[in-house]
Amino acid sequence: MPDPRGLDEREKRMWHAFHDMRRRLDTSLDQQLARDAALSAADHQLLVPLFEAPDQRLRPRDLCRAVGWDRSRLSHQMRRMEQRGLVSREECCTDARGTVIRLTEEGRQAIQAAEPGHVETVRRYFIDLLSPEEVDALTSIAQRVLERITRDTGVDGGPCGPSDC
Amino acid sequence: MPDPRGLDEREKRMWHAFHDMRRRLDTSLDQQLARDAALSAADHQLLVPLFEAPDQRLRPRDLCRAVGWDRSRLSHQMRRMEQRGLVSREECCTDARGTVIRLTEEGRQAIQAAEPGHVETVRRYFIDLLSPEEVDALTSIAQRVLERITRDTGVDGGPCGPSDC
DNA sequence: AAAGATTGAACCCTCAATCTTG
DNA sequence: CAAGATTGAGGGTTCAATCTTT
């Protein structure tokens, strides 16, 4: 009989395979972006909401909420991306504490060039391997896990926190 | 009709929820280990195979294969863990190029103290939320993804590469 | 030449201050 | 005081050398 506090063989196998899949999937996506578009995964994650924003401008606060990052992480990443010319920072006219992050022309071209290959890679290495039922099952599992973690820790780390929807 | 190269709404929702789940799950596991056992996820991942190894000793080469890391990453991590007293390095008697990594008494105590709480967290935030069918579905999905990536890139980044089983 | 291992540089992420403005 | 934003320190990860031994 299984130790209720340990994992049985089936569970161990799943946890191990799941871990491996995450690692190899991350590596493949990172490499595709780096090779074909000279972008890191962090770059890409921020460029998408910036590209879709009205006027291609967002306040750090709002970009944080959109991607579920904390301000510190975003600030460090913006410094690096500003140095590479992908974004620029301007003062905010409505709140003197704030700044506005603007997508540069170079950043716009980078994300537009990167997106088709990125989506193709997500399809090839993940989504095209799933049946429609599996897509729904994964969505359901992810929602369950997120709900449990959110209830437990009292923090909603994802986009659209309790205070902004 | 959906753009064959883009993602439809169901797929987008799944990919987004899946991403969020991964991030929150990682954060929760990292924090539990750091809080309750003063270990990073990287520490933990290496301490498990070291603890289970005969004589609690492993060559870097073999530890790399066990966890799917490259040598460079392992070497950096070992330097940090050696400084904190969790492992020690000895010369290898059968191959003058090699070294042997040994779990210290302190490292042994650390992993033994950490494991119950870690497994409990994996259960609480993930495995206990899955039905037996979902456990098997996830295993199947992960194997499919790993196979596709391995065939495509020609590299088996996981444990038990083609040459060592 | 190939395998085992290490190192330095560059990037990424988290945490704890800090500073300014609402 | 709370919110917006930044910074510095320290750990983690990847890549390209490098060095030694097989």
Side-chain angles (χ1 to χ4, degrees):
Chain A
M1 63 178 11
D3 178 0
R5 310 178 57 183
L7 305 183
D8 68 27
E9 283 311 311
R10 264 176 59 262
E11 290 167 337
K12 261 187 220 163
R13 189 160 48 98
M14 184 276 288
W15 183 237
H16 193 229
F18 184 69
H19 245 311
D20 264 21
M21 174 184 72
R22 289 161 33 118
R23 187 165 47 79
R24 306 288 319 270
L25 205 46
D26 281 349
T27 302
S28 298
L29 291 168
D30 289 355
Q31 287 178 342
Q32 184 272 326
L33 277 173
R35 175 169 29 82
D36 297 346
L39 294 175
S40 68
D43 295 333
H44 177 264
Q45 206 177 342
L46 299 182
L47 289 175
V48 169
L50 274 171
F51 180 73
E52 290 170 349
D55 223 10
Q56 307 193 329
R57 280 125 81 49
L58 277 177
R59 292 186 59 173
R61 183 190 55 173
D62 300 320
L63 186 48
C64 277
R65 284 186 185 136
V67 295
W69 289 17
D70 65 21
R71 289 192 214 293
S72 171
R73 183 178 172 188
L74 182 68
S75 189
H76 284 301
Q77 183 65 29
M78 282 302 121
R79 175 178 36 78
R80 292 186 291 260
M81 290 174 73
E82 191 172 23
Q83 281 169 359
R84 288 159 49 213
L86 296 170
V87 300
S88 63
R89 283 191 263 207
E90 306 170 349
E91 288 180 3
C92 180
C93 31
T94 59
D95 184 344
R97 292 171 305 182
T99 56
V100 174
I101 299 162
R102 171 173 223 144
L103 190 61
T104 61
E105 175 58 22
E106 198 179 334
R108 201 187 57 73
Q109 289 177 7
I111 186 60
Q112 281 193 309
E115 206 50 17
H118 174 71
V119 172
E120 192 185 318
T121 308
V122 171
R123 277 214 165 285
R124 172 160 188 79
Y125 289 151
F126 192 54
I127 293 185
D128 281 351
L129 302 174
L130 306 176
S131 69
E133 292 76 26
E134 288 174 328
V135 170
D136 290 341
L138 277 182
T139 307
S140 158
I141 288 169
Q143 285 169 347
R144 232 175 296 155
V145 172
L146 286 168
E147 179 146 342
R148 165 65 62 97
I149 292 177
T150 297
R151 277 181 198 276
D152 241 46
T153 63
V155 177
D156 187 344
C160 296
S163 62
D164 44 271
C165 290
Chain B
M1 63 178 9
D3 178 359
R5 312 178 56 180
L7 304 183
D8 67 27
E9 283 311 311
R10 263 175 62 261
E11 290 168 336
K12 261 188 220 163
R13 189 161 48 100
M14 184 276 287
W15 182 238
H16 192 229
F18 184 69
H19 243 310
D20 263 22
M21 174 184 72
R22 289 160 32 118
R23 186 164 48 80
R24 304 289 317 271
L25 205 46
D26 281 348
T27 301
S28 298
L29 290 169
D30 288 354
Q31 287 177 342
Q32 185 273 325
L33 277 173
R35 177 169 28 83
D36 298 345
L39 294 176
S40 68
D43 296 333
H44 177 264
Q45 205 177 341
L46 299 183
L47 289 175
V48 169
L50 275 171
F51 180 74
E52 290 171 350
D55 224 11
Q56 307 194 330
R57 279 127 81 45
L58 277 177
R59 292 186 60 173
R61 183 191 52 173
D62 299 322
L63 186 49
C64 277
R65 284 185 186 137
V67 297
W69 289 16
D70 66 20
R71 290 192 213 292
S72 170
R73 182 177 173 187
L74 182 68
S75 189
H76 285 300
Q77 184 66 28
M78 282 302 121
R79 175 176 37 76
R80 291 186 292 260
M81 290 174 74
E82 191 171 24
Q83 282 169 359
R84 288 158 51 213
L86 296 170
V87 299
S88 64
R89 282 191 263 205
E90 305 169 350
E91 287 180 4
C92 180
C93 30
T94 59
D95 183 343
R97 291 171 305 183
T99 57
V100 174
I101 298 162
R102 171 173 223 144
L103 190 61
T104 62
E105 175 58 21
E106 199 179 336
R108 203 188 55 73
Q109 290 177 7
I111 185 60
Q112 282 192 309
E115 207 49 17
H118 174 70
V119 172
E120 193 183 318
T121 308
V122 172
R123 276 215 167 286
R124 175 162 185 79
Y125 289 150
F126 192 54
I127 293 184
D128 281 351
L129 302 175
L130 306 176
S131 70
E133 292 75 26
E134 287 174 328
V135 170
D136 291 341
L138 277 182
T139 307
S140 158
I141 288 169
Q143 285 169 348
R144 231 174 297 156
V145 171
L146 286 168
E147 179 145 342
R148 165 66 62 97
I149 292 177
T150 297
R151 277 182 198 277
D152 240 47
T153 64
V155 176
D156 187 344
C160 297
S163 62
D164 43 274
C165 287

